[in-house]
């Protein structure tokens, strides 16, 4: 009985030492180098995001990263929503007779003649 207890204690100590050595050598595996301020690992246009921009969006893969199928599903869903909203805006602008290019340009104030 005592030899079995000693065997279990020795096994636990050996396992603890191996774990500590592995943690020191390999690290925890979840620490990433910090990004510079203002940097982003993903790229999107600053404005006028299209459904294809959302569909083409990719994330960095890391050891303890995200579940790719879930993110891909979310991106497809967002792309569909953006596409639906853009179609609806175009439909409403067509009903109102608004030119999309003219609506997106800022209005210029008329120049006044100082004389």
């Amino acid at each position: 009985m005592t030899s079995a207890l000693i065997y279990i204690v020795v096994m636990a100590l050996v396992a603890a030492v191996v774990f500590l050595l592995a943690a020191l050598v390999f690290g925890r595996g979840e620490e990433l180098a910090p990004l510079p301020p203002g940097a982003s690992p993903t790229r999107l246009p600053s404005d006028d995001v299209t459904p294809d921009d959302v569909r083409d969006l990719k994330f960095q893969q890391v050891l303890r990263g995200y579940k790719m199928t879930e993110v891909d599903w979310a991106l497809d869903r967002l792309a569909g929503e953006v596409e639906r909203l853009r179609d609806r805006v175009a439909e409403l602008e067509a009903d109102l007779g608004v030119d999309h290019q003219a609506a997106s340009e800022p209005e210029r104030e008329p120049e006044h003649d100082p004389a």
Side-chain angles (χ1 to χ4, degrees), residues 3 19 24 26 28 30 32 45-46 48 51 61 63 74 79 81 87 94-95 102:
S3 64
F19 175 77
L24 287 174
F26 297 111
R28 291 172 39 145
E30 61 192 11
L32 299 175
S46 59
D48 202 27
Q61 295 179 9
L63 180 64
E81 184 70 14
D87 290 344
D95 288 347

Side-chain angles (χ1 to χ4, degrees), residues 69-115:
T69 55
E70 291 179 2
V71 174
D72 292 341
W73 170 83
L75 293 175
D76 286 341
R77 173 88 193 278
L78 289 172
E81 184 70 14
V82 168
E83 192 169 33
R84 187 184 66 79
L85 291 172
R86 284 179 171 258
D87 290 344
R88 181 66 176 147
V89 166
E91 178 185 317
L92 293 172
E93 285 177 346
D95 288 347
L96 293 174
V98 175
D99 183 21
H100 180 68
Q101 294 288 5
S104 64
E105 293 178 3
E107 292 184 26
R108 296 183 183 171
E109 294 186 23
E111 295 180 20
H112 296 315
D113 189 13

Side-chain angles (χ1 to χ4, degrees), residues 26-75:
F26 297 111
R28 291 172 39 145
E30 61 192 11
E31 296 176 17
L32 299 175
L35 291 173
S40 173
T42 56
R43 299 283 182 244
L44 276 175
S46 59
D47 59 352
D48 202 27
V49 177
T50 65
D52 289 330
D53 291 332
V54 177
R55 285 187 185 103
D56 293 337
L57 183 62
K58 299 297 178 203
F59 297 95
Q60 289 181 350
Q61 295 179 9
V62 295
L63 180 64
R64 297 183 59 133
Y66 59 92
K67 197 169 191 180
M68 289 178 15
T69 55
E70 291 179 2
V71 174
D72 292 341
W73 170 83
L75 293 175

